[in-house]
């Protein structure tokens, strides 16, 4: 029995260098101070990863973590966290995925997995009913994510697996991990870290249940929660359109990126809207485990050159980056591109971001056919998009140049191309142009992961405040970031907003565990501890930046025409909300308030000066 | 005869039915103990039909019922209230013959308790039906 209900109470630690596994307990302090998931990751990464460690070396660890509510029937509780030091950014990163893997990890008897070291040949990790084994993966190496998953499913009936594809093996710096036929913890290059460790997959299987302290009251709480989802007015549209409903909204508001965030209008973007997506592609609505809102769309390309392509998606961000950002207006091409990214195991956001960048370089003559291996890398060229993805997936030709993201490529290419490498800390922007949604600019700048929208998306809030004003944006960003620390630590999907809010999520957490949580304090603690991890790696205010285009090139058209992001003003108002100093470093007062006093000593030993 | 009826076209594979079933009957969230089962097939092709992707499997409450007929202890009986088939726990010896006999693979052997478990329609108001977010499950009397 775990020390706190809801948790398995056990974390599996595997060392691939030593070929050993061991089980460590989840302590009561850890549970109550960090909840789970992202919270656990923030604590463990700060404690365990030596500053300056090579993200692709044996000293980096991979953290795969659930929270106390996973494995229960709490609506939207399908998610798990993958965290590591990102090879793309050099910062802390965390990414989440849905599907069924999270619950199955709990049923296998573990709250999480930490993988250390580096194997001398391909291996996979198998967890089954409380025990674990490192197994040979020679027969899996080279396989796509899908084939790896199918092979492992046949080998161990009833199992679920997390896998990497060929791109992860090749250490493409934005390789992702995948589970459940195309669900992905996409951002930050987690798949490259697995690849560097020669860890092809993690398989989980088991029949251990999750219980709660009071059956009757919990059943009542579940009834209330499900009723709240069912009566939420936004649900039917969300189910019908999935995340693609945001394509139309952001296109009309001039937010969706067009031709590498040029800010131009894309003729024909309407061909990517939900109605056409549904009509041409969607075969079936699919849910993650324990989720009452099936936003997932199982799609099949029925005609044309890509007929027979099967995938879960494409989703909004993918359509924005692989579609509009590359000037592509054919949803079937986007579907094919998405499917290829999934099979190779790369992040669709980063892939669309870097290809958009390369297309702009090509159009400007900075890259030529000589550089691209003959690919005619113009905006809107469907074939070129597919060829470029193949090249990145295999890390060959121009794919090798692009396999580190736009910012790295710009440093190689030169010629001021860095001005339109649309990233922060090396992580490419998601499908929101910050000039047309300035709060998102502050999210990109201050996210502990580099420009990751999912650390506190602002579109809903900014529609109310005004898209281009700085007014109240630091406060919105601060609030959203804290809220997402709670979501990511429970671990629950952000779409739980369809029926639940932070207060009901907290009520659920306390019903599962039977414990009281200081949620406000915990979420702020997690965010500042992640910041300290990055401060220790040398990151500060000057890295909380946006590319030249976002700051100095006025939007050429659209509802926010003429706007740029006035970032410094936002940062000046944001840091004090966090009690960070004007260089973006948490103050001593901040750390004391968050019960992070040991870190004060730790940082001063490293010669990092903290303001009072 | 009352029984659960499932609509595989509408089912989206969330398995909330499995979760709520095991919670209600066994007191824990554990799909391996559920008396309803969702089969998920995402490796689809151009010929896949909409009812072949997420496929719910439920007890058909057969009449005549192979499980009741083969039971050497006459421990599976028709409930007069729900008209479903019930396992009498104190008479079942856990021999597992019914598990083998069920054409739908809908009976579970509980080795610890030396008994078998099957859908009892929750005594008349099945929780899987009330919790299904897609209304893919219903209780029908025919």
């Amino acid at each position: 029995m775990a020390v706190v209900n809801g948790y398995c109470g056990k974390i599996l630690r595997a060392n691939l260098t030593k070929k050993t596994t061991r089980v460590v307990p989840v302590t009561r302090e850890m549970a109550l101070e960090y909840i789970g998931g992202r919270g656990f990751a923030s604590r463990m990464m700060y404690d365990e990863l030596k500053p300056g460690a090579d993200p692709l070396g044996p000293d980096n660890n991979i953290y795969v973590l659930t929270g106390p509510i996973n494995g229960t029937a709490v609506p939207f509780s399908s998610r798990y966290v993958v965290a590591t030091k990102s090879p793309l950014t050099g910062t802390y990163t965390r990414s989440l995925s849905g599907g069924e893997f999270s619950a199955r990890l709990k049923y296998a008897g573990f709250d999480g997995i930490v993988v250390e070291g580096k194997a001398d040949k391909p291996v996979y990790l198998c967890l089954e009913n409380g025990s674990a084994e490192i197994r040979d993966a020679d027969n899996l190496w080279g396989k796509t994510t899908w084939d790896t998953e199918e092979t492992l499913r046949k080998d161990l009936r009833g199992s679920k697996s997390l896998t990497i594809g060929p791109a992860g093996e090749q250490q493409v710096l934005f390789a992702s991990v995948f589970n459940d036929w195309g669900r992905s913890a996409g951002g930050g290059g987690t798949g490259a870290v697995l690849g560097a460790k020669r860890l092809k997959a993690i398989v989980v299987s088991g029949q251990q249940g999750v219980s709660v302290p009071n059956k009757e009251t919990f059943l009542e709480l579940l009834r209330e929660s499900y009723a709240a989802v069912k009566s939420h007015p936004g649900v039917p549209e969300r189910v019908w359109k999935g995340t693609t409903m945001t394509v139309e909204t952001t296109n009309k508001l001039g937010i969706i990126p067009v031709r590498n965030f040029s800010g131009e209008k894309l003729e024909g973007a309407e061909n990517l809207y939900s109605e056409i997506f549904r009509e041409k592609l969607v075969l079936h609505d699919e849910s993650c485990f324990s989720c009452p809102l099936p936003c997932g769309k199982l799609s099949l390309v029925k005609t044309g050159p890509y007929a027979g392509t099967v995938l879960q998606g494409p989703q909004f961000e993918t359509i924005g980056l692989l579609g509009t950002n590359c000037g592509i207006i054919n949803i079937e091409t986007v579907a094919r591109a998405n499917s290829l990214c999934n099979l190779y195991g790369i992040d669709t956001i980063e892939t669309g971001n870097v290809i958009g960048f390369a297309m702009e370089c090509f159009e400007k003559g900075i890259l030529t056919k000589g550089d691209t291996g003959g690919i005619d890398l113009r905006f809107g060229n469907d074939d070129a998009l597919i060829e470029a993805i193949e090249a990145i997936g295999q890390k060959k030709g121009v794919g090798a140049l692009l396999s580190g993201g736009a910012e790295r490529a710009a440093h190689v290419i030169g010629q001021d191309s860095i001005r339109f490498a649309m990233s922060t800390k090396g992580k490419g922007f998601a499908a929101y142009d910050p000039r047309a949604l300035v709060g998102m600019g502050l999210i990109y700048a201050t996210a502990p992961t580099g420009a990751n929208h999912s650390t506190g998306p602002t579109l809903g809030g900014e529609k109310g405040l005004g898209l281009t004003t700085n007014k109240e944006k630091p406060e919105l960003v601060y609030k959203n970031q804290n809220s997402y620390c709670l979501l990511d630590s429970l671990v629950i999907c952000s779409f739980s907003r369809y029926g639940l809010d932070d207060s009901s999520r907290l009520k659920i957490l306390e019903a599962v565990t039977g414990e009281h949580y200081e949620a406000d304090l915990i979420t702020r603690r997690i965010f500042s501890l992640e910041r300290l991890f990055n401060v220790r790696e040398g990151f500060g205010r000057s890295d909380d930046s946006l590319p030249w285009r976002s700051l100095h090139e006025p939007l050429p058209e659209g509802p926010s025409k003429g706007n740029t992001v006035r970032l410094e003003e936002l940062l000046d108002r944001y840091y004090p909300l966090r009690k960070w100093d004007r260089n973006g470093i948490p103050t001593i007062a901040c750390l004391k308030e968050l019960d992070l006093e040991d870190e004060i000593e730790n940082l001063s030993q490293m010669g990092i000066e903290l303001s009072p | 005869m009352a029984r659960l009826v499932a609509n595989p076209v509408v089912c989206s594979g969330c398995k909330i039915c499995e979760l709520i079933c095991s919670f209600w009957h066994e007191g824990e969230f554990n799909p391996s103990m559920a008396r309803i089962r969702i089969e998920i097939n995402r490796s689809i092709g151009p010929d896949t039909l909409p009812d072949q992707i997420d496929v719910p499997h439920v007890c058909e409450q057969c009449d005549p019922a192979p499980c009741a007929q083969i039971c050497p202890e006459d421990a599976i009986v028709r409930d007069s209230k729900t008209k479903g088939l019930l396992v009498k726990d104190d008479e079942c010896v856990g021999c597992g013959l019914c598990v083998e006999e069920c054409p739908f693979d809908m009976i579970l052997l509980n080795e610890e308790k030396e008994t078998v478990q099957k859908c009892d329609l929750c005594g008349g108001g099945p929780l899987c039906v009330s919790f299904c977010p897609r209304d893919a499950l219903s209780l029908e009397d025919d």
Side-chain angles (χ1 to χ4, degrees), chain A residues 407-479:
Chain A
E407 201 167 309
R408 269 188 183 74
H411 286 306
V412 176
I413 295 166
Q415 304 189 56
D416 274 345
S417 61
I418 192 72
R419 290 186 165 199
F420 53 85
M422 304 310 290
S423 58
T424 294
K425 302 182 179 76
K427 163 88 185 76
F429 286 3
Y432 308 89
D433 188 324
R435 290 172 298 178
L437 190 70
V438 300
M440 185 56 82
L442 185 58
I443 287 281
Y444 290 159
T446 59
T449 54
N452 187 324
H453 66 291
S454 76
T455 53
T458 56
L459 178 59
E462 291 198 73
K463 278 198 272 191
L465 295 171
L467 302 176
T468 55
T469 177
N470 276 1
K471 193 166 173 275
E472 294 180 52
K473 295 300 169 66
E475 291 77 11
L476 174 71
V477 164
Y478 172 75
K479 180 172 139 280

Side-chain angles (χ1 to χ4, degrees), chain A residues 92-138:
Chain A
Y92 162 98
T93 197
R94 74 91 184 89
S95 195
L96 294 97
S97 176
E100 202 169 321
F101 183 86
S102 177
R104 297 288 166 184
L105 175 54
K106 296 276 289 274
Y107 302 152
F110 297 97
D111 296 301
I113 302 161
V114 184
V115 185
E116 310 163 1
K118 187 170 183 167
D120 51 13
K121 60 186 190 56
V123 294
Y124 74 95
L125 194 57
C126 183
L127 280 64
E128 194 173 7
N129 282 323
S131 65
E133 202 177 75
I134 300 168
R135 294 181 179 173
D136 190 286
D138 273 339

Side-chain angles (χ1 to χ4, degrees), chain A residues 71 73 100 107 146 150 181 207 209-210 215 218 226 230 239 283-292 310, chain B residues 9 11-12 14-16 19-20 23-24 28-32 42-44 46 53-54 127 131-135:
Chain A
E100 202 169 321
Y107 302 152
W146 187 290
E150 288 293 336
W181 300 275
Q207 292 81 38
V210 179
K215 183 177 162 183
F218 198 72
Y226 278 90
K230 210 157 198 169
V239 171
L283 214 62
H284 185 68
D285 299 320
E286 63 167 54
S287 299
C288 289
F289 191 74
S290 197
C291 179
V310 174
Chain B
V9 176
C11 174
S12 59
C14 66
K15 301 190 179 179
I16 289 163
L19 287 163
I20 212 72
F23 184 57
W24 175 251
E28 63 179 59
F29 297 101
N30 189 341
S32 72
R42 297 280 157 79
S43 293
I44 60 165
I53 300 169
D54 293 324
L127 266 74
F131 270 89
C132 178
R134 301 280 282 165
D135 298 326

Side-chain angles (χ1 to χ4, degrees), chain B residues 7 13 35 43-44 46 60 73 89 98 109-110 118 129:
Chain B
N7 182 345
R35 300 151 188 221
S43 293
I44 60 165
E60 299 287 335
E73 307 294 326
D89 281 348
C98 58
L109 183 63
N110 187 327
K118 67 172 290 300
V129 173

Side-chain angles (χ1 to χ4, degrees), chain A residues 263-494:
Chain A
E264 296 158 1
K265 186 171 157 36
L266 181 64
E267 218 48 60
E270 298 77 13
N271 292 315
L272 302 170
Y273 285 2
S274 307
E275 289 73 19
I276 292 178
F277 162 68
R278 254 264 32 144
E279 178 196 317
K280 287 199 167 176
L281 294 176
V282 178
L283 214 62
H284 185 68
D285 299 320
E286 63 167 54
S287 299
C288 289
F289 191 74
S290 197
C291 179
L293 199 169
C295 72
K297 304 292 155 230
L298 190 62
S299 298
L300 172 71
V301 180
K302 298 175 194 89
T303 54
Y306 312 123
T309 299
V310 174
L311 75 157
Q312 192 283 113
Q315 300 220 15
F316 161 64
E317 300 288 340
T318 302
I319 295 171
L321 273 307
L322 292 172
T324 52
N325 196 50
C326 294
I328 302 290
I329 54 169
N330 180 346
I331 193 70
E332 289 166 336
T333 304
V334 176
R336 177 63 179 172
N338 186 353
S339 161
L340 278 176
C341 288
N342 290 3
L343 295 173
Y344 281 114
I346 45 177
D347 178 20
T348 55
I349 292 179
E350 204 70 43
T351 303
N353 185 294
V354 72
I355 293 176
F357 165 80
M359 285 175 161
E360 180 164 352
C361 289
F362 190 84
E363 300 244 352
K364 288 193 155 111
I366 300 172
L367 285 177
T368 64
K369 277 195 179 176
D371 301 309
T372 63
I375 304 175
D376 184 24
L377 211 54
R378 285 173 296 109
F379 285 120
N381 183 345
D382 296 43
D383 293 339
L385 173 69
I386 300 299
E387 289 170 50
I389 292 171
E390 296 271 9
I392 292 170
Q394 298 168 29
K395 208 174 168 181
K396 283 184 178 156
V398 72
L401 171 68
L402 304 181
S403 69
E407 201 167 309
R408 269 188 183 74
H411 286 306
V412 176
I413 295 166
Q415 304 189 56
D416 274 345
S417 61
I418 192 72
R419 290 186 165 199
F420 53 85
M422 304 310 290
S423 58
T424 294
K425 302 182 179 76
K427 163 88 185 76
F429 286 3
Y432 308 89
D433 188 324
R435 290 172 298 178
L437 190 70
V438 300
M440 185 56 82
L442 185 58
I443 287 281
Y444 290 159
T446 59
T449 54
N452 187 324
H453 66 291
S454 76
T455 53
T458 56
L459 178 59
E462 291 198 73
K463 278 198 272 191
L465 295 171
L467 302 176
T468 55
T469 177
N470 276 1
K471 193 166 173 275
E472 294 180 52
K473 295 300 169 66
E475 291 77 11
L476 174 71
V477 164
Y478 172 75
K479 180 172 139 280
N480 284 8
Q481 287 173 330
N482 292 343
S483 179
Y484 273 67
C485 285
L486 181 65
L487 296 169
D488 296 352
S489 300
L490 285 174
V491 182
I492 195 166
C493 182
S494 64

Side-chain angles (χ1 to χ4, degrees), chain A residues 566-602:
Chain A
R566 285 164 291 129
L567 181 65
E568 296 307 316
E569 179 194 318
L570 289 168
L571 289 174
D572 282 340
R573 286 167 43 212
Y574 168 83
Y575 291 149
L577 296 172
R578 291 232 166 265
K579 300 194 173 106
W580 296 354
D581 68 19
R582 60 167 289 99
N583 294 314
I585 297 172
T587 59
I588 290 172
C590 163
L591 298 178
K592 282 189 171 166
E593 185 188 332
L594 301 176
D595 300 321
L596 293 172
E597 305 208 15
D598 289 351
E599 285 68 20
I600 299 172
E601 180 66 25
N602 174 263

